[in-house]
Amino acid sequence: MTSKDSIIPFPSPQTFPPAAAHRMGRGGIAMKVRHIHPDYDTPEQRRQALLDAKRLCAAALLNQKRAAGEQSA
């Protein structure tokens, strides 16, 4: 990675170890998830796609947190 590259920071929750992001254990069978890295025409398009993914993930986590709060109330 060069010095001009920047990494978009994602929160790392304590409840999910790093390996959990690459395996799914439902149904009693471990499933390995393979990542597909798309090609982008410009670095800005790649950066925008990463920001969009971050927003989607943050929204999904917020919805799960709200749902858990409603269940416990």
Side-chain angles (χ1 to χ4, degrees), residues 40-60:
Y40 298 99
D41 293 332
T42 65
E44 182 57 33
Q45 286 179 342
R46 178 182 181 272
R47 184 178 176 282
Q48 189 60 46
L50 289 171
L51 285 171
D52 291 344
K54 180 181 178 181
R55 286 186 198 109
L56 286 171
C57 291

Side-chain angles (χ1 to χ4, degrees), residues 2 11-12 32 34 38 43 52-54 62 64 66 68 70 73:
T2 63
S12 56
K32 206 165 217 175
R34 297 182 186 263
D52 291 344
K54 180 181 178 181
L62 182 60
Q64 289 178 355
R66 285 183 184 159
E70 290 172 2

